[in-house]
Amino acid sequence: MGIRLRRGDSTGTNPPGNGSLDEPNWHTLSVDEVFDRLETSSQGLAADQAEARQVRYGRNVIPDRPGPGVISLVVRQFRNPLIYVLLIAGAVALAVQEVVDAIFIFGVLIINAAVGAFQEWQAEHGARALQSVVRVKATVRRGATLEELDASELVPGDVVLLESGGAVPADLRIIGAIETTVDESVLTGESEPVAKDPAAIELAESPVGDRFNMLYAGTSMVRGRATAIVASTGSITQIGRIARSLTEQSAPPPLVARMRSFTTRLTLALMVLIVALGAAQFIRGSDVGDVVLLMIALAVSAIPEGLPVGVTVALSIASRRMAGRNVIVRLLPAVEGLGACTVIATDKTGTLTVNRMTVKRLVLADGFEAEVAGEGLELSGEMLHEGQVLAGGRLDELARIAKSGVLCNEAQLRLVEDEVVAVGDTVDAAFLVLGEKLGLSKVEVEDAASRVGLIPYESARGFAASYNRSGGFGGSGGEVTCSVKGAVELVLEMCEGVDRPTVLDWTQQLASSGFRVIALAAGPAEMPDPSLIPSQIPTRPSGLRFLGLAGLIDPVRRDVPDAIQRCRDAGVDVKMVTGDHPATALAIARQLGIATDESEVVHGRELSVGEVESDRIEAASVFARVEPSQKTGIVTTLQAAGHFIAVTGDGVNDAPALRAANIGVAMGRSGTDVARDASDLIIADDNFASIVNGIEEGRTAYDNVRKIVWLLLATAVGELVLFLLSTAMGLPIPLTPVQLLWLNVVTQGIQDVALAFERKEPGVLRRPPRSPAEEILDRRMIEQVLMSGFVMGLGSFLVFYWLVEVSGWSHFSASNVLLLALVLFENVHVFNSRSELRSVFRVPLAANPFVVASVFLAQGLHLGAMYTPGLRSVLDIEPVNIGTWLTMLGISLSILVTAEVYKRYRRFGAPTGNGRDAKQPA
């Protein structure tokens, strides 16, 4: 649960202050003084007051880090070793008075920077838009009705209720707290959670970390409950004042980092090669000007200028595709990383199940059982199924269980457009529905027994307790009763006169049928001084009477069994990690196909005493009765075994495991703010099947990056081969730097971006995960780049040699036809690059119309340039006849034939170095 806000009637109608930074030191004031200053009360603000203050103070929005400016984005495009080489080449061209070449080089660099900056701007704004999908919500009480609001609508004077896992939405003065500890590390750097005390009054000069009566925006609740009044909002909060100092630059994604490393190595290798060839030509007696032009041409030809933009576009498109399938990317590494995961450790409730708890069976202390009719929040219908006969007094005993569940409860039901909506924990909501079926509404029950103390439910604690005094609100002389609900083993320890083995046997039977079993107990509370309530509440009740058991059902999501099978086909192991009873967990796991036998279940008790070997953890499919701290241990053990693990979580106690995992996956609907902040991905619909969709999109993104790399590097290798062979045979420089830039940036730049839109490969989820450490330039990539590049380079060299040496064409005419041939080679090879294993004839053109359009556009641009005065002079080209065009097309098809032979060899004859070769259709 997130933030709960209470608004009701209040004295005063005018909003206080003027929203300036000159505000009182709230930590120095008592609660009553804060109420007076803010003209409010413990019941919060009335609706009209809240609206007036919203107008005066504005939205409660902390200033966000501004995105990079246009100049910053453009400058960033030049921070690339490959671009450095081109800048040097342009400067040298200018120095030797090759003005046209220099202008074109610098012009292409500017265009490349503009395109790259636009792509980064689009990715930045897209990421911000996706982040806004998941927002902090506040639950508002107006009169007797709770409503959810965006936390940005908070105003000074509002009364806010917070729970563990919630983010603090504004600067708040605490007026009530139960076991409240807060993580303030974002403000103070202190890693240890800070305990809070509403009664404290601090000195004016007390630093933020020593203000124990305050909660500050941006911090998060670690444990307990708190009631607090909004003191400051938006830019007036502590974090709002220092927002700029809290920004940080995230590390580049692993794939981007590896590509940067690759380009650095490539640049160094090119520099060595270029200098060596230039020196060789100079030693052979070539003119200095010709040597410089050769070196410039080699630099331009060998550099895949479109690589940075291509990778950025591919990851950006993948991020948007994931969002379309309910996977919100918070950190870019998750785009590629999710496709590499080998294990998913997932919660049960709300992820594998629908998170709609329903009490379906009650067992009294003597073993009497009753079935409960209705599903979810359905309030209509009879309490019991037809044929159920109750002995005298049985209904009263069942009602006593329900009453205990209603009292020990923090949820609320409300009617919205004739539909019952629950606000709060799903287990609490299920008991409220049970109470309604028995005529026990929460309002009436609490009117008769006012709450004087609460031990809130925490997953680490395993139970919740409510202390209520009979006599209604305002009563002071009634008996205080403690109502408890929670894990059976823990509740039984608080009870007297109970047959523990028998109850545990009943629990086992219910759990084996798939029920989540909750025990309920109640009894008089020994609280010697009522005036000290709730400060004298025992940390664990005792001496209670065992009332019985409740069996709750949370149906399995219909699409999850298929999703789990898809994971298995993809080589991804699914492990359920839950706090439920082992029998319940195994029953659900059997329905889902995760596990079949008890030997696949590990009990949290075994983990706590260190009895489980790492091999056992790796082999287990279900972890039951697991405490949050043990979840992190499971993650680290699996990582030590070599697994790349994705972990799902929704609670504050899941945050350490989410951070420890290779990919942390938080729930968008049920997840706490802390869990979402600790995650890499957010599942918008809380559905496990969406995680599988994310794996599919992650693998597709990585495949598309490889396709772009294949196209670009093959062209670079082809141009190098052309120049090396031409130089070795004593031929003139085949192409000018301007022609090479036109080839690499304009005609090819259109096509490589189109590959980023490729759809998934057939069988993408039927191959084992790749290793996260796998290099883009693995054995297969090196083979196909060298093969394609050699064919392109040799073919274009033979064209150039034939035209110059055999046919006697002029250098100008030969280079003109050679440039056309290379453009056609690129046009053909982009179809090869659409799949590393499938035949080009097996990849439907309709699957990516952008590729077809890019080929027509690239070829159209080049043919158009031949007929465009001015441009054709710059490019040193002229129109050709249809016969020449068809001849060059026929020659360029050689790269298609070669790629088809190589793919067939890879499918049927080559040793496989990785799982990507497996199960691919021809």
Side-chain angles (χ1 to χ4, degrees):
M1 295 170 63
I3 303 162
R4 294 194 299 176
L5 169 66
R6 182 171 67 222
R7 286 182 181 156
D9 295 330
S10 174
T11 60
T13 58
N14 297 318
N18 58 8
S20 70
L21 294 177
D22 185 19
E23 300 224 348
N25 291 318
W26 302 107
H27 57 283
T28 66
L29 305 179
S30 68
V31 172
D32 289 338
E33 288 175 318
V34 173
F35 283 143
D36 290 340
R37 289 288 188 99
L38 292 171
E39 299 180 19
T40 186
S41 72
S42 61
Q43 297 304 306
L45 299 172
D48 57 345
Q49 286 182 289
E51 291 176 7
R53 296 189 186 193
Q54 184 84 74
V55 172
R56 184 161 190 173
Y57 286 93
R59 295 174 64 81
N60 174 37
V61 178
I62 296 172
D64 196 6
R65 172 180 62 88
V70 174
I71 296 177
S72 174
L73 285 173
V74 172
V75 171
R76 190 185 300 176
Q77 308 311 309
F78 290 90
R79 296 172 184 168
N80 186 304
L82 298 179
I83 303 302
Y84 298 157
V85 175
L86 288 179
L87 286 171
I88 294 172
V92 172
L94 198 60
V96 297
Q97 298 184 348
E98 292 291 340
V99 178
V100 174
D101 286 353
I103 291 175
F104 204 85
I105 290 173
F106 289 129
V108 166
L109 286 174
I110 292 172
I111 293 172
N112 187 69
V115 173
F118 174 75
Q119 288 295 339
E120 286 203 28
W121 175 86
Q122 195 174 47
E124 173 83 13
H125 282 257
R128 288 173 182 265
L130 293 179
Q131 293 283 5
S132 67
V133 172
V134 182
R135 304 182 67 87
V136 176
K137 292 291 184 180
T139 304
V140 181
R141 186 186 298 279
R142 288 178 175 164
T145 304
L146 288 177
E147 297 180 11
E148 277 197 339
L149 291 181
D150 195 293
S152 63
E153 298 180 39
L154 293 177
V155 294
D158 278 329
V159 174
V160 182
L161 279 70
L162 299 104
E163 301 178 355
S164 57
V168 178
D171 285 0
L172 313 173
R173 173 59 163 90
I174 305 171
I175 60 176
I178 302 175
E179 299 180 342
T180 302
T181 57
V182 181
D183 179 1
E184 295 183 335
S185 57
V186 68
L187 284 178
T188 66
E190 176 59 51
S191 59
E192 289 296 319
V194 180
K196 295 296 182 176
D197 179 9
I201 298 179
E202 310 295 350
L203 298 175
E205 61 270 18
S206 297
V208 170
D210 291 340
R211 299 175 186 177
F212 300 111
N213 56 8
M214 295 291 295
L215 297 172
Y216 288 102
T219 62
S220 54
M221 295 279 290
V222 174
R223 186 177 181 185
R225 305 291 190 271
T227 304
I229 186 169
V230 176
S232 303
T233 58
S235 60
I236 306 175
T237 61
Q238 287 289 327
I239 198 171
R241 300 178 190 186
I242 57 175
R244 290 182 180 274
S245 67
L246 295 176
T247 60
E248 58 182 31
Q249 295 294 325
S250 58
L255 178 60
V256 174
R258 291 200 298 273
M259 294 306 296
R260 288 179 181 175
S261 174
F262 163 70
T263 55
T264 301
R265 296 196 305 270
L266 177 62
T267 301
L268 292 174
L270 286 176
M271 294 299 291
V272 171
L273 177 63
I274 291 168
V275 171
L277 285 174
Q281 287 296 101
F282 184 76
I283 292 173
R284 288 172 57 180
S286 298
D287 181 73
V288 174
D290 292 339
V291 171
V292 171
L293 284 177
L294 173 64
M295 295 174 68
I296 293 173
L298 280 172
V300 173
S301 68
I303 294 176
E305 291 88 350
L307 192 56
V309 173
V311 172
T312 301
V313 172
L315 294 180
S316 177
I317 290 171
S319 179
R320 289 199 293 270
R321 284 179 175 175
M322 284 185 169
R325 303 183 76 176
N326 293 312
V327 182
I328 309 301
V329 178
R330 291 191 69 249
L331 298 174
L332 204 56
V335 173
E336 50 162 317
L338 191 58
C341 75
T342 59
V343 173
I344 301 175
T346 176
D347 283 341
K348 176 181 73 68
T349 303
T351 308
L352 302 177
T353 61
V354 297
N355 200 24
R356 286 200 301 269
M357 288 287 183
T358 307
V359 179
K360 297 294 292 180
R361 187 172 299 177
L362 296 173
V363 181
L364 296 179
D366 61 0
F368 178 85
E369 294 190 16
E371 297 288 332
V372 183
E375 298 290 340
L377 300 178
E378 185 180 318
L379 301 181
S380 60
E382 295 295 328
M383 165 63 192
L384 304 174
H385 288 301
E386 292 183 13
Q388 179 72 57
V389 179
L390 298 180
R394 299 274 88 177
L395 191 58
D396 289 342
E397 294 178 64
L398 295 171
R400 195 171 293 122
I401 289 181
K403 181 180 178 181
S404 182
V406 171
L407 286 172
C408 186
N409 204 296
E410 295 183 80
Q412 183 167 340
L413 302 179
R414 56 190 176 95
L415 201 61
V416 178
E417 297 180 354
D418 297 327
E419 181 180 352
V420 179
V421 177
V423 178
D425 180 74
T426 55
V427 173
D428 280 355
F431 278 100
L432 292 185
V433 171
L434 175 66
E436 292 284 351
K437 291 177 179 178
L438 284 166
L440 300 170
S441 73
K442 184 178 183 180
V443 173
E444 293 173 353
V445 170
E446 289 187 340
D447 279 346
S450 60
R451 176 177 290 169
V452 294
L454 173 71
I455 300 178
Y457 178 82
E458 301 281 356
S459 55
R461 179 183 287 124
F463 74 91
S466 178
Y467 292 82
N468 299 77
R469 181 184 288 115
S470 60
F473 290 102
S476 59
E479 180 185 33
V480 175
T481 302
C482 175
S483 301
V484 175
K485 74 177 191 297
V488 177
E489 299 90 337
L490 295 174
V491 174
L492 289 180
E493 293 176 0
M494 307 174 196
C495 298
E496 295 179 346
V498 61
D499 186 351
R500 183 182 175 91
T502 300
V503 175
L504 291 177
D505 184 55
W506 297 340
T507 302
Q508 179 71 25
Q509 293 175 32
L510 287 171
S512 298
S513 299
F515 288 100
R516 180 175 180 180
V517 187
I518 301 293
L520 297 103
E526 304 227 350
M527 308 184 85
D529 186 353
S531 66
L532 296 177
I533 297 173
S535 61
Q536 290 293 318
I537 294 176
T539 56
R540 175 171 292 197
S542 60
L544 304 180
R545 175 190 171 192
F546 175 67
L547 298 179
L549 304 174
L552 292 83
I553 286 291
D554 184 11
V556 168
R557 290 182 181 269
R558 286 182 296 179
D559 49 356
V560 168
D562 177 65
I564 289 174
Q565 184 56 51
R566 291 168 65 201
C567 281
R568 294 194 186 283
D569 293 341
V572 180
D573 193 16
V574 179
K575 299 181 185 295
M576 179 196 296
V577 183
T578 177
D580 276 352
H581 190 283
T584 303
L586 180 58
I588 298 298
R590 283 171 172 160
Q591 294 180 46
L592 296 169
I594 292 177
T596 57
D597 190 76
E598 292 182 4
S599 62
E600 299 176 73
V601 180
V602 170
H603 196 294
R605 184 174 55 249
E606 300 175 61
L607 297 172
S608 62
V609 296
E611 295 178 352
V612 185
E613 298 291 336
S614 59
D615 291 347
R616 172 95 165 93
I617 291 178
E618 192 173 3
S621 298
V622 177
F623 298 86
R625 282 287 190 258
V626 171
E627 298 177 4
S629 59
Q630 295 172 330
K631 194 171 184 178
T632 306
I634 294 170
V635 171
T636 55
T637 299
L638 291 171
Q639 288 173 324
H643 288 285
F644 195 83
I645 183 168
V647 172
T648 72
D650 56 9
V652 61
N653 289 311
D654 291 321
L658 291 172
R659 289 194 180 98
N662 300 100
I663 302 292
V665 183
M667 300 297 110
R669 291 180 180 174
S670 63
T672 61
D673 304 311
V674 173
R676 289 197 289 263
D677 288 343
S679 67
D680 305 293
L681 298 172
I682 297 174
I683 303 302
D685 61 352
D686 290 10
N687 193 341
F688 179 85
S690 296
I691 302 175
V692 185
N693 295 336
I695 292 175
E696 186 175 71
E697 292 297 344
R699 292 187 177 187
T700 300
Y702 188 77
D703 287 347
N704 288 349
V705 169
R706 287 179 59 89
K707 294 168 186 177
I708 293 171
V709 170
W710 184 16
L711 174 65
L712 294 178
L713 292 189
T715 303
V717 169
E719 292 167 359
L720 271 177
V721 170
L722 167 64
F723 270 80
L724 291 175
L725 291 176
S726 298
T727 302
M729 297 298 294
L731 297 177
I733 296 176
L735 298 171
T736 67
V738 170
Q739 290 173 326
L740 288 166
L741 284 173
W742 173 262
L743 183 69
N744 290 355
V745 177
V746 181
T747 59
Q748 177 150 276
I750 297 169
Q751 297 179 143
D752 61 37
V753 170
L755 286 175
F757 291 89
E758 283 295 328
R759 297 294 176 181
K760 65 180 180 181
E761 293 275 354
V764 69
L765 286 182
R766 293 199 302 273
R767 67 190 189 209
R770 64 177 174 84
S771 167
E774 176 185 303
E775 292 286 346
I776 291 284
L777 283 180
D778 59 3
R779 174 180 171 180
R780 189 178 71 199
M781 181 62 74
I782 292 173
E783 286 179 357
Q784 60 197 23
V785 164
L786 292 178
M787 175 271 300
S788 303
F790 181 75
V791 170
M792 189 182 298
L794 180 62
S796 57
F797 165 74
L798 292 176
V799 167
F800 189 59
Y801 181 85
W802 179 268
L803 294 176
V804 173
E805 294 294 322
V806 179
S807 300
W809 286 28
S810 68
H811 182 211
F812 170 84
S813 298
S815 294
N816 176 49
V817 173
L818 174 62
L819 183 59
L820 172 63
L822 283 168
V823 171
L824 287 166
F825 266 117
E826 289 177 347
N827 295 155
V828 174
H829 188 48
V830 72
F831 291 102
N832 291 332
S833 302
R834 293 186 66 198
S835 176
E836 294 187 65
L837 281 175
R838 283 189 294 163
S839 165
V840 69
F841 305 107
R842 297 273 185 173
V843 185
L845 294 178
N848 187 359
F850 295 105
V851 165
V852 179
S854 71
V855 169
F856 278 102
L857 181 58
Q859 185 62 210
L861 279 174
H862 188 69
L863 294 178
M866 289 179 170
Y867 291 91
T868 303
L871 181 57
R872 71 182 186 185
S873 299
V874 172
L875 294 176
D876 287 332
I877 58 176
E878 63 182 4
V880 298
N881 59 50
I882 187 65
T884 301
W885 188 90
L886 289 174
T887 301
M888 293 304 104
L889 175 62
I891 293 172
S892 67
L893 289 174
S894 61
I895 197 170
L896 185 148
V897 175
T898 306
E900 287 294 297
V901 172
Y902 174 77
K903 289 178 182 180
R904 185 172 181 83
Y905 162 73
R906 262 294 175 184
R907 287 196 301 270
F908 301 111
T912 57
N914 55 51
R916 195 177 293 103
D917 293 347
K919 298 184 179 180
Q920 291 279 357

